[in-house]
Amino acid sequence: MKDTAWKAQWIWGGEEESPRNEWRCFRSTFDVPSEEAADAQLRISADSRYVAYVNGVQIGRGPVRSWPEEQFYDAYSIGHLLQPGGKNTIAVLVLHFGVTNFYYLRGKGGLLAEIASGDGVLAATDSSWKTEKLRGHHTAAPRMSCQQGFAEIYDAREWNGDWTETTYDDSSWLQAAHVAEVGEGPWKKLIPRDIPFLTEEKLYPSRIESLQRVRPPAWTAAIDLRNAMVPGSVEHANPIQYMGYIATTLLLDEAGQVTVGILQSRGEKLWIDGQRIERSHGNDPERYYEAELTAGEHFLLLDITQGDHGGAYHVAIHSERKLSIHSPDKEGETPWLLIGPFDDTEYIDTRENRQIDRNEPNYLKAAGAASMEELAAVQDWIRPLAGPYYTEQDVFGSNVWRPEAERYAMPSGLNACLTAAPEYADIPRFRDGDTELVIDLGKQRTGFFGFKIEAPAGTVVDVYGLEYLKADFRQHTFGLDNTFRYICREGRQQYESPVRRGFRYAVLTIRGAAGPVKLHEVYMVQSTYPVAEAGTFRSSDPLLNDIWAISQHTTRNCMEDTFVDCPSYEQTYWVGDSRNEALVNYYVFGELDIVKRCLRLVPGSKDRSPLYMDQVPSGWTSVIPNWTFFWVLATMEYVEHTGDKSFAAEMWPHVRFTLEHYLTHINADGLLDMRGWNLLDWAPIDQPNEGIVTHQNLFLTKTLRQAVQMSVEAGQADEGASFAEAAGLLEQAINDRLWDEERGAYLDCIHADGRRSDIYSMQTQVVALLCGIAQGERRAKLEAYLLQPSASFVQIGSPFMSFFYYEALEAMRHIPDMLDDIRRNYGLMIANDATTCWEMYPNFTENRANAELLTRSHCHAWSAGPAYFLGRNVLGVKRLDSGWSKVRIEPAPCDLTWARGAVPLPNGGTIEVDWSIANDVMSLRISAPEDVELDVRLPEAVTGNVSIVRTKKLPL
């Protein structure tokens, strides 16, 4: 439907409507009558991301993520930047992904912008705008990960940075092309931004961790095998499998040892001149294959048959002898040939899927070929690896594999680059090797990394973001190419990457400097959801204080334009994660708009799956049933938190829609029985992707009952009545068929073939308690497991699952046990210098590839639960009714002697609690708004005095 208020048109440039990893510049110069400058407003959107400038001043980035059918746009007040009576310029850099990922669905390259003042339009995108590809940006840069877009390689020698200024001469640029009118193309509907703009806080690092002389391998490359082997996979982000090989010719000037490194092994096979190289070494997932080779040419064949969700394949070759590689057929843009795929499949977890046929005859014929002649029988499957999928500027590979690394003491002057001062750091240079600095930001951060440098033309600056290191161990971000390369022009310059990244340590390597290098500044522009630290917590236990602080910082790092699971690996809005994240946010920041936005995005997946997807907006058509159930619970919790019945009415049709579809998967025994990603915890519980999974049946029961309550809040009680009956029948079926009387516990699952699981887990028992399924003696047994889990049960494997465990402990009033568990598990994080909460506990082999690896993601919002539970229980602040009009204050001192803090309220103001206790006498001070009814309760067997201070509310 066309929005007639817009005068602008969607525009683009170049030959392709959706080019891969293209950064394109747009400009327009316009006049501003003096009387029309003050109230000027820029409205803007782009596919996929933009950075906008007015008269050379950066004004913002965007847009927020959205389904393409409902494209968001931003609005900026820019009157203060305009020059009345003179020429003005708007300039926009648009980053177009050209591939689908976990937060973007492929559309078309496009920019939509207009500057309006009063009833007039000063500038609007149309074919009069000028456009040019950002020269210097290499489109063949590696994919960062299956979840994200691209790393970057930028050569500043190819273009200076003044194209955003009014004085820039764009006469050589081409005219932009009209792509679509508003309401046409992929962007069917335009919606104004529904959250505030994110922060832009320039932060400086805390220290330089190390200085080293390093050398990279002789040759490195990053290859996008997924899109090269199966080109149609750019249209979706589903996992695929393919079957085939890649081949190249290695030329060695002299005989010697050659090492082929696969820097994230996927189980490939390597042949050199037809000989299988089977022996390898390296810590998983790194694999290094060594061979003694004669001088001359050698044929390398790699079987890269694998499952592939996306990202770069990093391969490197090193020898002390001079080497080069070239295509075996002497043609092509790259040195590699693709052979295959002989078969490929796409995997969607809610359907029956086919495996690739590993006995395909032509695939078997090609195995172990020693030359192109031996591949003649499969000639029809051979083609060159195209240039867009390949680069030898592999920053990640050069950091993971450093054949030489020599540590040096740091000169004191090196720290000058870390401060907002005019001094600079002279970067040491080495005759044989590159200079590597590991820079500690002090905490995990998320945003846009930048630096100011003075260097000779051609000097290479590589940046690689790490989350964790300890002594000589570096936790490489396997599965995430968290890097960029900047190639300097001559002289002093500044570069700020427009690609969002999260990390704590920046590995900054200066390569190939022909003269002195002066590093003036290194910084991070932290970009998160704008929050005030309204929630606070302090107590007599320094460890709990540290745990609360890292929980708060984790939550902030994972609040972007939605909640995201982590700022590094994925930057993805996972629907189930955000239920717990919303609750933590209520207690530490009190923000509402981000929660509403997240909840509203979920039904946008209905056309891809009526069961609603587990991450949105996304091109991965994946369903975790529990994540849908958590979305329903979170929606109802928002209504209860705010008292917003109109939101219940808005969301109720979507809740009803998906639950009705889930109920179609109830089998003849009355249980939920379906294909899906049936996940709850990163632990070896029995949760197959097909069959009857107990924890899902339990959560569905609770969800159906919450839906009944939502229908009442929405004014549609008659529509929700059937869900009450469905919940009762499901509860009965669970107790009849999933309880094991002999073990005194609920089993984890019944497999699709009817086999009853012999695995029992704490996870299943905790959920059965939370969902109110177990009653009488069964309930008593499960309550006992909370405090003394059976040694034969699978134990909790992630802080996410701990959240539900703590909910159960709170319901049973076992607060001391909750604090003990928080201290034990989160104390391990603090002991390992954590500034944010980990994704997993290091208690299962599934959670760690080696002893040094403590977790995958070191900043994961689903893990920030302590900030919620400490506020609810140690401070004792709990909502008693809808909208927080009535609140209970009931502190649980446990072994603490004092605590104080604040909890923000949804309608403004905070509840502040300050208590101390000695000899079972408590002094309790409370501050609360005058319209909040308080129910104050001292702990059992404790006496004391209570003082209450009332704060007035401003008139509306």
Side-chain angles (χ1 to χ4, degrees), residues 680-706:
L680 179 61
D681 188 21
W682 296 124
I685 63 179
D686 203 352
Q687 47 188 7
N689 289 344
E690 184 179 0
I692 300 162
V693 177
T694 303
H695 59 66
Q696 285 183 177
N697 278 269
L698 295 165
F699 272 125
L700 176 56
T701 307
K702 180 181 176 70
T703 302
L704 290 168
R705 290 184 169 135
Q706 285 291 290

Side-chain angles (χ1 to χ4, degrees), residues 243-294:
M243 196 162 59
Y245 306 84
I246 57 174
T248 191
T249 298
L250 168 67
L251 176 61
L252 200 62
D253 280 9
E254 303 175 58
Q257 181 174 286
V258 171
T259 303
V260 178
I262 309 298
L263 304 182
Q264 187 173 2
S265 176
R266 302 176 183 179
E268 62 286 308
K269 299 173 185 176
L270 170 66
W271 292 269
I272 300 179
D273 299 329
Q275 298 296 311
R276 173 82 182 274
I277 312 298
E278 298 196 56
R279 293 184 59 185
S280 65
H281 64 273
N283 292 325
D284 288 337
E286 300 168 61
R287 290 289 93 198
Y288 298 95
Y289 300 87
E290 294 182 350
E292 290 289 337
L293 300 181
T294 60

